[in-house]
Amino acid sequence: MTKLDEEFIAELLHRAGNKIMSVRGGSVSWRTKSGPQDIVTAADTQAEELILDEIRHAYPLDGILSEEAGLSPGTSGATWVVDPLDGTKNFAAGSPDFGVMISRMTEGRVQAAGIHLPAHGVVFSASAGAGARKNGVPFRLAGTSPLSESLVDFSTVGEDGGFMEEQLQLLKLLLERSRGVRAVGSAKMFADVLDGTLAGACSLAYRHWDVAAPALIVAEAGGHACQLDGAPLDLSVSTTRVDGERVPAIFGAAHIVEEIVHAAREVDVTSA
């Protein structure tokens, strides 16, 4: 069923992307959520409503975890993870660097996933054990350059001051060890990893909806995704875990991920 799930996801991504693009270009209103850096727009909520309605119609027994709506437990053992607009601040500022991410997983393992950047006209998708595709065409991660010759993304958050020092320590080491550090801060960074512009991406502050889709697509494209300490990602969903819980993670070419894991251990941020 995972290939059929992937096809369903790709169609849903296009529809959500069209909804977002229909709102783009006009006056974008927004409101804050948990803090001044955490905002939501009408495009977020409209895209989410479209996605959730379609999932509930096609998979009525599945659970859904969505960034804006939260968790709706199901009874099938499968859970959809939805970020209806990843890069809301970029979208609100008029940048094209935003996207939609959808995945379906069972028992904490992602089975099918997709990432759509509607302003760039690209869809990355994958099914477990069946490889990854860019706009329907199979592809693999390329590039063997070391971290010292590579660009990486490091996403920070300012509203959670409880681990700001740890973020700065790792950022400093990445600046010293890499060719350069970027902070794209949206689904665009995962697309840049997948197309080879970036060799890797990491953060102490991802959420479930940030990591579920790229974790599968990166792995199926021949890369690697793991926790900052090198352990497998824990993407299990329960009512006691999802609210506000961080998922520190690294994505990218396997050798780049290994170098960043070593850096994280050196500055002791793996338990931050």
Side-chain angles (χ1 to χ4, degrees):
M1 289 294 289
T2 56
K3 194 65 172 67
L4 293 177
D5 294 339
E6 182 186 344
E7 293 170 359
F8 173 79
I9 288 170
E11 174 63 26
L12 195 48
L13 287 169
H14 280 296
R15 293 187 59 194
N18 290 339
K19 172 67 70 174
I20 293 169
M21 294 299 285
S22 72
V23 177
R24 186 172 183 246
S27 176
V28 178
S29 60
W30 51 269
R31 61 177 174 82
T32 59
K33 296 189 294 181
S34 63
Q37 296 185 24
D38 189 13
I39 66 172
V40 62
T41 70
D44 292 79
T45 55
Q46 290 176 22
E48 183 177 64
E49 288 172 1
L50 184 157
I51 294 168
L52 269 55
D53 285 349
E54 291 298 321
I55 291 174
R56 287 167 179 152
H57 177 74
Y59 299 81
L61 301 182
D62 286 5
I64 304 175
L65 171 63
S66 185
E67 180 176 9
E68 308 304 333
L71 177 64
S72 299
T75 58
S76 69
T79 301
W80 292 82
V81 182
V82 177
D83 194 335
L85 178 50
D86 190 56
T88 300
K89 287 180 283 189
N90 290 349
F91 175 82
S95 166
D97 294 343
F98 57 85
V100 187
M101 301 198 290
I102 303 173
S103 58
R104 186 176 190 252
M105 62 184 188
T106 57
E107 298 179 350
R109 294 181 176 273
V110 184
Q111 302 298 327
I115 300 172
H116 180 31
L117 276 61
H120 294 274
V122 62
V123 173
F124 292 95
S125 63
S127 297
R133 282 152 286 281
K134 179 180 181 181
N135 290 341
V137 179
F139 77 99
R140 301 281 290 177
L141 286 182
T144 57
S145 298
L147 182 61
S148 61
E149 299 176 9
S150 303
L151 296 177
V152 295
D153 184 279
F154 184 66
S155 299
T156 61
V157 292
E159 67 265 21
D160 190 345
F163 63 103
M164 180 58 72
E165 183 60 33
E166 290 87 348
Q167 293 185 97
L168 294 176
Q169 288 178 37
L170 184 53
L171 174 58
K172 179 178 182 295
L173 204 57
L174 290 174
L175 286 167
E176 294 171 349
R177 303 262 178 102
S178 70
R179 176 160 287 174
V181 177
R182 302 293 179 261
V184 180
S186 70
K188 179 64 163 57
M189 67 184 163
F190 297 120
D192 286 347
V193 170
L194 291 166
D195 70 17
T197 305
L198 297 171
C202 66
S203 177
L204 280 73
Y206 294 132
R207 308 296 193 204
H208 279 76
W209 41 82
D210 297 317
V211 300
L216 177 67
I217 301 171
V218 167
E220 288 293 327
H224 188 53
C226 65
Q227 296 180 176
L228 281 175
D229 61 2
L233 285 174
D234 180 6
L235 297 177
S236 59
V237 172
S238 73
T239 55
T240 60
R241 291 193 74 240
V242 297
D243 291 336
E245 179 154 341
R246 294 183 285 115
V247 184
I250 310 170
F251 302 82
H255 66 285
I256 295 294
V257 170
E258 184 178 358
E259 288 194 64
I260 296 176
V261 167
H262 286 310
R265 288 172 178 163
E266 282 185 42
V267 294
D268 194 25
V269 298
T270 56
S271 60

